């Protein structure tokens, strides 16, 4: 039986809200490192308030590379009889977007049963994500032409009405050209492929397919959301060079294996939460009005297939956020105060 209870849902939203609020302080200042540092610090501090025995499976990197939210780090208060959970986080998906005031940056977290998150050994993966109508119908190993033809037939539209989201990278030049040859529309994004993958499962986003090479951690987080939305993600490991390819083969990894949603998130009970930092197709960013900060968040639970949008008004005269590095609570406007 799953140990993940609905009571933790709002707590996870508070985690992404805190990260988004802290990151928004550096909106447009050109400092990606500070954006990530503040968001990670706030997220890590908030996690200690949650009644759980959590372990970070998808995080900021190995212990020697990240001071917090590293892979294997214990989070939560670890009180006896609290749920044992796997945690996946991306304090800011799109640090560059925040640093330069660009759209579609979000803060993300997912929680599920212990042992339910698949570890992927590569930083990058080749990904294909779709919404409920196309789930189980496309094949990442098929040609782009074939997948677009099948998608258009299932959706009962012309191929020219399909919209495909692709990260704007040199490595995607062939994919972009192929989509153009087939005649589908393309929406290029500069960063933020978690939101892009999730958008395929939301009718109001008006996108149909996400395809391309992006981060493996982001694929797992997208899988957590798509599990609640009835969508699907398929991925294949994508080594960055021959050395990594050979290392993976020596370790016994099958580079032709296709990981699907249920391979990445093995539990049927996962909670996903995201808060917007900058305005985007998925969520509105943090807005300030005098002493009020307004955030918009999405939270989903796969067990009930429930999706909630939460608008929160944070009074900055009273708002406190625990920063893990300082061991104390700090007002969002920079003044220190008590809990």
């Amino acid at each position: 039986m799953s140990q993940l209870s609905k009571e933790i849902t709002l707590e996870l939203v508070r985690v992404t809200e805190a990260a988004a609020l802290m990151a928004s302080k550096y909106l447009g200042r050109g400092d990606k490192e500070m954006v990530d540092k503040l968001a990670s610090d706030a997220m890590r501090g908030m996690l200690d308030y949650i009644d759980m025995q959590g372990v970070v499976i998808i995080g900021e990197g190995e212990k020697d590379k990240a001071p917090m939210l590293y892979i294997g780090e214990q989070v939560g208060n670890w009180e006896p009889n609290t749920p044992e959970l796997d945690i996946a986080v991306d304090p800011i998906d799109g640090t560059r977007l925040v640093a330069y005031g660009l759209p579609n940056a979000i803060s993300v977290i997912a929680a599920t049963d212990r042992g339910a998150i698949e570890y992927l050994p590569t930083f990058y993966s080749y990904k294909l994500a779709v919404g409920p109508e196309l789930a189980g119908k496309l094949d990442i190993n098929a040609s782009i032409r074939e997948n677009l033809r099948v998608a258009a037939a299932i959706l009962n539209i012309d191929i020219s009405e399909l919209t495909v989201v692709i990260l704007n990278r040199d490595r995607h030049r062939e994919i972009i050209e192929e989509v153009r040859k087939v005649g589908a529309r393309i929406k290029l994004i500069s960063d933020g492929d978690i939101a892009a993958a999730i958008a395929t499962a939301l009718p109001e986003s008006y996108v149909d397919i996400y395809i391309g090479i992006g981060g493996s951690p982001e694929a797992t987080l997208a899988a957590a959301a798509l599990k609640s939305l009835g969508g699907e993600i398929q991925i294949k490991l994508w080594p960055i060079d021959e050395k990594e390819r050979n290392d993976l083969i020596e370790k016994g990894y099958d580079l032709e294996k296709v990981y699907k949603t249920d391979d990445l998130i093995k539990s049927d009970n996962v909670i996903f939460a995201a808060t917007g930092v900058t305005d985007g197709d998925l969520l509105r960013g943090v807005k300030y009005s005098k002493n009020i900060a307004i955030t918009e968040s999405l939270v989903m639970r796969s067990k009930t297939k429930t999706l909630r949008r939460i608008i929160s008004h944070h009074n900055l005269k009273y708002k406190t956020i625990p920063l893990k590095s300082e061991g104390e609570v700090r007002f969002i406007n920079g003044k220190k105060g008590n809990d």
Side-chain angles (χ1 to χ4, degrees), residues 170-315:
D170 286 343
R171 61 179 179 263
H172 292 149
R173 194 167 298 166
E174 290 183 11
I175 294 174
I176 292 168
E177 287 305 314
E178 185 65 21
V179 173
R180 286 173 175 164
K181 286 179 183 177
V182 178
R185 296 180 295 188
I186 296 175
K187 181 177 181 179
L188 292 176
I189 58 173
S190 61
D191 294 279
D193 62 347
I194 296 177
I198 296 171
T200 63
L202 298 173
E204 62 270 25
S205 69
Y206 303 105
V207 297
D208 303 297
I209 299 170
Y210 167 80
I211 192 166
I213 298 157
S216 295
E218 288 82 357
T220 303
L221 282 157
L226 290 169
K227 192 143 190 172
S228 298
L229 296 169
E232 180 188 44
I233 190 167
Q234 302 176 31
I235 76 160
K236 294 176 72 174
L237 301 178
W238 194 80
I240 59 172
D241 53 31
E242 281 302 310
K243 181 182 184 305
E244 185 177 22
R245 175 181 293 276
N246 293 334
D247 288 345
L248 290 169
I249 293 172
E250 287 180 10
K251 292 176 181 177
Y253 285 99
D254 179 3
L255 300 184
E256 294 304 311
K257 178 179 178 178
V258 176
Y259 297 81
K260 297 186 178 181
T261 313
D262 288 342
D263 299 315
L264 299 174
I265 304 290
K266 301 180 180 69
S267 171
D268 289 329
N269 196 11
V270 57
I271 294 173
F272 172 93
T275 300
V277 186
T278 61
D279 285 342
D281 297 331
L282 188 65
L283 290 162
R284 285 177 289 177
V286 180
K287 297 290 187 295
Y288 288 90
S289 177
K290 296 183 179 179
N291 287 315
I292 301 295
I294 303 170
T295 57
E296 182 182 26
S297 302
L298 264 181
V299 60
M300 317 174 200
R301 190 180 183 207
S302 64
K303 186 176 182 180
T304 59
K305 299 294 187 280
T306 301
L307 182 153
R308 290 184 174 89
R309 288 186 181 270
I310 298 174
I311 307 294
S312 300
H313 290 239
H314 309 268
N315 191 317

Side-chain angles (χ1 to χ4, degrees), residues 1 16 74 83 99 120 129 191 234 264 286 299 324 335:
M1 180 179 290
T16 55
Q74 295 183 353
L120 298 174
D191 294 279
Q234 302 176 31
L264 299 174
V286 180
V299 60
K324 181 67 176 178
K335 297 177 181 177

Side-chain angles (χ1 to χ4, degrees), residues 149-161:
R149 186 192 66 79
V150 170
I154 292 170
L155 297 175
N156 194 29
I157 60 176
D158 190 83
I159 287 179
S160 64
E161 296 179 69

